[in-house]
Amino acid sequence: MTRTLRRTTAAAAALAALTMASCSSNHTTTKPATATPSTPTASGTRVPSLKPIPPGHPGTPPVPLPAPSSVKGDDPEAVSQAVVTIQWTFDTSIDNSRHDAALRSAPFLEPQYLTALKAHPPMAAPGAEWAEWARHRAYTKVETRALHDERPEDSETEARRQWLVTTTPHGRDRWTGRPTTNTAFVTMTRENASSPWRVSGITVSS
């Protein structure tokens, strides 16, 4: 599967994905089909307007996730690795899309980036790959490898890191799916040298 996901701050659309990614005004509900607004086309016919995918269910995946208390906030490598690990750890038994996993990384996100994620839930089904995972009630295990391509030097308030993220789905019926690999380019900011790093944007390529 080839896809490019862009997660940016504030005004930009927050997810496309994981990716893991990688990627709900997270509490938006879908109205019944009879109440769905429609949009006229050039021919005069009306088609249903897109509605956001509703958020998933409360819960956590059955694999350990980085906790804020275990991640050194002054280490951009540790913070960026924690975020990509969380954002690519999906669980189809509780998640409706990759967006739910992205929101689980909230403790490590810069406030504007988190606001943008919440404001831009996915508007389309997560696709055939996700549907296959869901048939097996699959969750993903994530492996990360730091990449050291040329990048700007860290400043006191901005840092960038790059990760190769490999995601493997495991079904609760003992099925194992094909791994997928993405490259995540992570930007982090902080207010000053004594503040913890927070992720302010992720660009994903596969």
Side-chain angles (χ1 to χ4, degrees):
M1 177 187 74
T2 301
R3 68 176 187 274
T4 300
L5 306 176
R6 290 191 64 84
R7 302 178 184 137
T8 59
T9 59
L15 282 180
L18 57 308
T19 157
M20 233 96 190
S22 50
C23 30
S24 48
S25 181
N26 208 13
H27 302 289
T28 302
T29 57
T30 302
K31 295 180 180 178
T34 54
T36 302
S38 59
T39 303
T41 66
S43 64
T45 59
R46 301 183 75 84
V47 296
S49 298
L50 290 175
K51 302 294 290 184
I53 295 176
H57 307 288
T60 56
V63 293
L65 295 178
S69 60
S70 67
V71 177
K72 294 179 61 178
D74 61 351
D75 182 352
E77 193 106 342
V79 172
S80 59
Q81 184 180 30
V83 169
V84 297
T85 298
I86 295 170
Q87 291 201 6
W88 269 264
T89 301
F90 314 123
D91 185 352
T92 60
S93 70
I94 58 174
D95 299 336
N96 284 341
S97 71
R98 293 167 175 83
H99 191 250
D100 294 315
L103 292 175
R104 280 195 285 271
S105 67
F108 300 100
L109 303 184
E110 186 272 334
Q112 280 190 310
Y113 177 36
L114 178 58
T115 298
L117 281 176
K118 291 179 177 180
H120 293 86
M123 304 295 288
E129 180 182 64
W130 185 274
E132 181 182 26
W133 295 357
R135 285 195 295 273
H136 298 279
R137 299 184 65 243
Y139 57 91
T140 58
K141 292 183 179 180
V142 176
E143 296 179 1
T144 58
R145 179 164 63 87
L147 302 177
H148 300 287
D149 293 352
E150 186 176 343
R151 65 171 184 257
E153 291 287 333
D154 295 348
S155 72
E156 185 176 284
T157 58
E158 185 168 273
R160 293 179 174 84
R161 293 295 185 271
Q162 183 176 344
W163 292 92
L164 189 70
V165 187
T166 300
T167 305
T168 305
H170 296 273
R172 287 173 169 82
D173 56 3
R174 300 185 180 181
W175 169 86
T176 299
R178 178 176 61 86
T180 58
T181 300
N182 300 103
T183 301
F185 303 87
V186 184
T187 300
M188 288 158 287
T189 59
R190 60 181 179 177
E191 292 184 3
N192 53 58
S194 61
S195 301
W197 289 105
R198 291 292 179 258
V199 170
S200 59
I202 301 178
T203 301
V204 185
S205 65
S206 56

